[in-house]
Amino acid sequence: MKRALYTGSFDPMTNGHLDIIKRASRMFDELVVGVIVNPNKSPLFTREERVRQIEDIVGELGLSNVTVDSFQGLLADYVNAGGFDAVVRGLRATSDFEYEIQMAQMNACLFNPGTESVFLMTSPRYSFISSSMIKEVVSLGGSADGLVPVSILEEIKNKFHR
Ligand code: COA
């Protein structure tokens, strides 16, 4: 029984994140999407809103081996306490690589023995997007159709325009 964690801020979850969730859910018996409360970021959505958004989409898609949780503090503490076999991260471009390798190597010193960082290449359809870019485009009246789940896009519009 292999358990993996896919972690990030998900403020909000984009179709790029969702692509990784779908693919990782096929690779592991159990996938936990871990919404991190990152003190370095001022989120648009609360922790509860982000968890609920992801749970709704995962439920609609019938991804029965995927659950959603949230945490704060050191990633390795959460991973070790949860007994995860792997931590999944998406790589969008070579620019992500520098940051991710540094983090993976640091985490290798902190994770319980046997826990691996696993990297999936983001689909080229979504390799250019980030949550911040989506928020900026929508806040300025641009279209993010097809880049974010429809229900989440409505919530972003509501935050900025209603
Ligand atoms: N599709 C679309 N966008 C993607 C993506 C994908 N597949 N993968 C990443 N992104 C975007 C996100 O939208 C996010 O955009 P934003 O910066 O505009 O919000 C950006 O890439 C960064 O993604 P995210 O994975 O959410 O990063 P993060 O920096 O918030 O969190 C953690 C990364 C959680 C792994 C890291 O902060 C962490 O481990 N924190 C805990 C503290 C800790 O343990 N530190 C020591 C680490 S060694």
Side-chain angles (χ1 to χ4, degrees), residues 8 21 29 36 71 78-80 94 104 115 127 133 136 147 161:
I21 292 171
D29 299 300
I36 187 154
F71 70 100
Y78 182 77
V79 169
N80 292 339
T94 48
T115 303
S127 62
M133 190 176 284
E136 185 173 323
L147 302 178
H161 303 299

Side-chain angles (χ1 to χ4, degrees), residues 16-34:
H17 294 127
L18 192 54
D19 171 60
I20 300 286
I21 292 171
K22 288 180 192 166
R23 289 159 57 199
S25 72
R26 293 195 290 268
M27 295 170 60
F28 296 95
D29 299 300
E30 193 186 331
L31 180 71
V32 176
V33 180

Side-chain angles (χ1 to χ4, degrees), residues 102-113 115 117:
Q102 194 181 7
M103 205 162 58
Q105 290 174 340
M106 183 74 235
N107 279 331
C109 301
L110 300 171
F111 287 168
N112 286 337
T115 303
S117 292

Side-chain angles (χ1 to χ4, degrees), residues 8-9 14 16-17 36 41 73-75 89 92 122 129 131-132:
S9 299
T14 68
H17 294 127
I36 187 154
K41 291 187 173 179
L74 191 67
L75 174 68
R89 300 283 295 163
R92 289 166 299 171
T122 300
I129 58 175
S131 301
S132 299

Side-chain angles (χ1 to χ4, degrees), residues 5 18 23 27 35 40 59-60 68 84 91 97 101 112-113 121 126 128 134 144 151:
L5 173 73
L18 192 54
R23 289 159 57 199
M27 295 170 60
V35 175
N40 300 321
E60 280 168 25
V68 189
F84 290 98
L91 284 181
F97 181 79
I101 192 169
N112 286 337
M121 298 301 162
Y126 306 120
F128 61 96
I134 298 286
S151 57

